[in-house]
Amino acid sequence: FNYKRFWFIFVYGNLLCLHFIKLIETRRSIRSYKKEPVSEKDLNKILEAGTYAPTGGGRQSPTIVAVTSPKYREKITELNEKVRKTSNDPYYEAPIVILVLADGNASNFAEDGSCVLMNMMLAAHSLGLGTVWVAKEREIFDSEEGKELLKEWNLPTTLRGVGAIALGYANEEPKEAAPRKKDYIVRV
């Protein structure tokens, strides 16, 4: 039995666990972004983290769409504003929008896509980037205009929107977490 190796694994494993818990506890929604572009290396790490999210039956029903071109960034903003009936950027002027769509025929498509979004948000936070979950993608991609966009991207029109994240460098200090409600956890 190698005690040195055991202690290294024990200590390193516990440090990783503590770091991961702290990562979860400190992630906050960011609603103001710098114009500074996100590096391709960081974007790829974040996107790949999404692909390791758990999915129902391991079927991997989600599709991740990284919107980096100004043309599509403007189009997706326009469609979201239309659904929300507002005229402000729902993605808070973040340089990148990541859409998560999933096969609408999959019984767990919303749950699968939600896990993908969370994995990417935690990965972004670990790299010093900010995110915020943005809703209304279901309504966008259930609409005729959304279906046309899917066709333009050569994606199946059976995909349904789950959500999106705005991604970039924070241009604001994250707020403190609200106190957790008393009855959040119930043990029976």
mmCIF file of all heavy atoms in Angstrom, residues 10-26:
data_model
loop_
_atom_site.group_PDB
_atom_site.id
_atom_site.type_symbol
_atom_site.label_atom_id
_atom_site.label_comp_id
_atom_site.label_asym_id
_atom_site.label_seq_id
_atom_site.Cartn_x
_atom_site.Cartn_y
_atom_site.Cartn_z
ATOM 1 N N PHE A 10 -6.131 11.616 -1.634
ATOM 2 C CA PHE A 10 -7.102 12.047 -0.621
ATOM 3 C C PHE A 10 -7.142 13.569 -0.512
ATOM 4 O O PHE A 10 -8.197 14.185 -0.576
ATOM 5 C CB PHE A 10 -6.743 11.418 0.730
ATOM 6 C CG PHE A 10 -7.638 11.860 1.850
ATOM 7 C CD1 PHE A 10 -8.922 11.340 1.963
ATOM 8 C CD2 PHE A 10 -7.215 12.793 2.778
ATOM 9 C CE1 PHE A 10 -9.759 11.740 2.990
ATOM 10 C CE2 PHE A 10 -8.045 13.202 3.806
ATOM 11 C CZ PHE A 10 -9.324 12.684 3.915
ATOM 12 N N VAL A 11 -5.976 14.192 -0.372
ATOM 13 C CA VAL A 11 -5.914 15.655 -0.214
ATOM 14 C C VAL A 11 -6.330 16.352 -1.502
ATOM 15 O O VAL A 11 -7.158 17.264 -1.492
ATOM 16 C CB VAL A 11 -4.494 16.096 0.219
ATOM 17 C CG1 VAL A 11 -4.343 17.608 0.147
ATOM 18 C CG2 VAL A 11 -4.204 15.591 1.624
ATOM 19 N N TYR A 12 -5.778 15.927 -2.638
ATOM 20 C CA TYR A 12 -6.098 16.561 -3.922
ATOM 21 C C TYR A 12 -7.580 16.397 -4.245
ATOM 22 O O TYR A 12 -8.230 17.347 -4.670
ATOM 23 C CB TYR A 12 -5.226 15.953 -5.029
ATOM 24 C CG TYR A 12 -5.398 16.629 -6.357
ATOM 25 C CD1 TYR A 12 -4.950 17.927 -6.562
ATOM 26 C CD2 TYR A 12 -6.019 15.981 -7.414
ATOM 27 C CE1 TYR A 12 -5.114 18.558 -7.790
ATOM 28 C CE2 TYR A 12 -6.183 16.592 -8.633
ATOM 29 C CZ TYR A 12 -5.724 17.883 -8.811
ATOM 30 O OH TYR A 12 -5.887 18.506 -10.021
ATOM 31 N N GLY A 13 -8.131 15.223 -4.006
ATOM 32 C CA GLY A 13 -9.551 14.977 -4.270
ATOM 33 C C GLY A 13 -10.440 15.863 -3.423
ATOM 34 O O GLY A 13 -11.425 16.427 -3.901
ATOM 35 N N ASN A 14 -10.102 16.017 -2.146
ATOM 36 C CA ASN A 14 -10.886 16.883 -1.268
ATOM 37 C C ASN A 14 -10.779 18.347 -1.681
ATOM 38 O O ASN A 14 -11.753 19.091 -1.607
ATOM 39 C CB ASN A 14 -10.459 16.704 0.195
ATOM 40 C CG ASN A 14 -11.072 15.452 0.790
ATOM 41 O OD1 ASN A 14 -12.180 15.074 0.436
ATOM 42 N ND2 ASN A 14 -10.344 14.798 1.669
ATOM 43 N N LEU A 15 -9.606 18.776 -2.115
ATOM 44 C CA LEU A 15 -9.443 20.159 -2.580
ATOM 45 C C LEU A 15 -10.282 20.417 -3.826
ATOM 46 O O LEU A 15 -10.914 21.463 -3.953
ATOM 47 C CB LEU A 15 -7.968 20.472 -2.860
ATOM 48 C CG LEU A 15 -7.081 20.615 -1.625
ATOM 49 C CD1 LEU A 15 -5.625 20.791 -2.031
ATOM 50 C CD2 LEU A 15 -7.538 21.766 -0.758
ATOM 51 N N LEU A 16 -10.290 19.458 -4.749
ATOM 52 C CA LEU A 16 -11.111 19.598 -5.952
ATOM 53 C C LEU A 16 -12.583 19.699 -5.594
ATOM 54 O O LEU A 16 -13.314 20.523 -6.156
ATOM 55 C CB LEU A 16 -10.898 18.421 -6.908
ATOM 56 C CG LEU A 16 -9.674 18.475 -7.788
ATOM 57 C CD1 LEU A 16 -9.580 17.202 -8.624
ATOM 58 C CD2 LEU A 16 -9.679 19.686 -8.686
ATOM 59 N N CYS A 17 -13.020 18.872 -4.664
ATOM 60 C CA CYS A 17 -14.418 18.884 -4.239
ATOM 61 C C CYS A 17 -14.767 20.232 -3.625
ATOM 62 O O CYS A 17 -15.789 20.827 -3.964
ATOM 63 C CB CYS A 17 -14.657 17.758 -3.241
ATOM 64 S SG CYS A 17 -16.377 17.656 -2.711
ATOM 65 N N LEU A 18 -13.907 20.730 -2.746
ATOM 66 C CA LEU A 18 -14.150 22.039 -2.129
ATOM 67 C C LEU A 18 -14.181 23.142 -3.174
ATOM 68 O O LEU A 18 -15.004 24.046 -3.124
ATOM 69 C CB LEU A 18 -13.080 22.337 -1.072
ATOM 70 C CG LEU A 18 -13.147 21.493 0.197
ATOM 71 C CD1 LEU A 18 -11.928 21.750 1.073
ATOM 72 C CD2 LEU A 18 -14.427 21.773 0.958
ATOM 73 N N HIS A 19 -13.263 23.072 -4.147
ATOM 74 C CA HIS A 19 -13.225 24.074 -5.211
ATOM 75 C C HIS A 19 -14.514 24.032 -6.037
ATOM 76 O O HIS A 19 -15.075 25.069 -6.372
ATOM 77 C CB HIS A 19 -12.003 23.851 -6.110
ATOM 78 C CG HIS A 19 -11.930 24.794 -7.256
ATOM 79 N ND1 HIS A 19 -11.618 26.133 -7.103
ATOM 80 C CD2 HIS A 19 -12.154 24.614 -8.575
ATOM 81 C CE1 HIS A 19 -11.654 26.732 -8.284
ATOM 82 N NE2 HIS A 19 -11.976 25.834 -9.192
ATOM 83 N N PHE A 20 -14.987 22.843 -6.344
ATOM 84 C CA PHE A 20 -16.207 22.714 -7.145
ATOM 85 C C PHE A 20 -17.419 23.256 -6.396
ATOM 86 O O PHE A 20 -18.249 23.965 -6.957
ATOM 87 C CB PHE A 20 -16.437 21.259 -7.570
ATOM 88 C CG PHE A 20 -17.602 21.107 -8.492
ATOM 89 C CD1 PHE A 20 -17.544 21.603 -9.785
ATOM 90 C CD2 PHE A 20 -18.768 20.497 -8.079
ATOM 91 C CE1 PHE A 20 -18.622 21.493 -10.647
ATOM 92 C CE2 PHE A 20 -19.852 20.378 -8.932
ATOM 93 C CZ PHE A 20 -19.777 20.879 -10.218
ATOM 94 N N ILE A 21 -17.526 22.941 -5.126
ATOM 95 C CA ILE A 21 -18.638 23.456 -4.315
ATOM 96 C C ILE A 21 -18.575 24.979 -4.274
ATOM 97 O O ILE A 21 -19.599 25.659 -4.430
ATOM 98 C CB ILE A 21 -18.608 22.855 -2.884
ATOM 99 C CG1 ILE A 21 -18.780 21.343 -2.924
ATOM 100 C CG2 ILE A 21 -19.641 23.529 -1.992
ATOM 101 C CD1 ILE A 21 -20.091 20.847 -3.479
ATOM 102 N N LYS A 22 -17.391 25.539 -4.089
ATOM 103 C CA LYS A 22 -17.224 27.005 -4.055
ATOM 104 C C LYS A 22 -17.606 27.605 -5.418
ATOM 105 O O LYS A 22 -18.221 28.663 -5.483
ATOM 106 C CB LYS A 22 -15.786 27.361 -3.683
ATOM 107 C CG LYS A 22 -15.543 28.832 -3.443
ATOM 108 C CD LYS A 22 -16.432 29.446 -2.384
ATOM 109 C CE LYS A 22 -16.096 29.016 -0.999
ATOM 110 N NZ LYS A 22 -16.978 29.587 0.022
ATOM 111 N N LEU A 23 -17.275 26.918 -6.491
ATOM 112 C CA LEU A 23 -17.634 27.366 -7.837
ATOM 113 C C LEU A 23 -19.156 27.471 -7.969
ATOM 114 O O LEU A 23 -19.688 28.464 -8.459
ATOM 115 C CB LEU A 23 -17.077 26.378 -8.869
ATOM 116 C CG LEU A 23 -17.192 26.756 -10.327
ATOM 117 C CD1 LEU A 23 -16.208 27.873 -10.661
ATOM 118 C CD2 LEU A 23 -16.916 25.556 -11.202
ATOM 119 N N ILE A 24 -19.858 26.470 -7.489
ATOM 120 C CA ILE A 24 -21.324 26.476 -7.531
ATOM 121 C C ILE A 24 -21.871 27.622 -6.688
ATOM 122 O O ILE A 24 -22.765 28.354 -7.116
ATOM 123 C CB ILE A 24 -21.886 25.118 -7.040
ATOM 124 C CG1 ILE A 24 -21.547 24.016 -8.042
ATOM 125 C CG2 ILE A 24 -23.399 25.208 -6.824
ATOM 126 C CD1 ILE A 24 -21.821 22.613 -7.521
ATOM 127 N N GLU A 25 -21.326 27.784 -5.496
ATOM 128 C CA GLU A 25 -21.832 28.801 -4.573
ATOM 129 C C GLU A 25 -21.565 30.231 -5.037
ATOM 130 O O GLU A 25 -22.295 31.149 -4.667
ATOM 131 C CB GLU A 25 -21.211 28.606 -3.184
ATOM 132 C CG GLU A 25 -21.661 27.350 -2.490
ATOM 133 C CD GLU A 25 -20.908 27.052 -1.208
ATOM 134 O OE1 GLU A 25 -19.864 27.701 -0.949
ATOM 135 O OE2 GLU A 25 -21.363 26.176 -0.468
ATOM 136 N N THR A 26 -20.530 30.434 -5.847
ATOM 137 C CA THR A 26 -20.157 31.806 -6.238
ATOM 138 C C THR A 26 -20.609 32.198 -7.642
ATOM 139 O O THR A 26 -20.463 33.358 -8.020
ATOM 140 C CB THR A 26 -18.628 32.010 -6.124
ATOM 141 O OG1 THR A 26 -17.960 31.055 -6.961
ATOM 142 C CG2 THR A 26 -18.170 31.868 -4.686
#
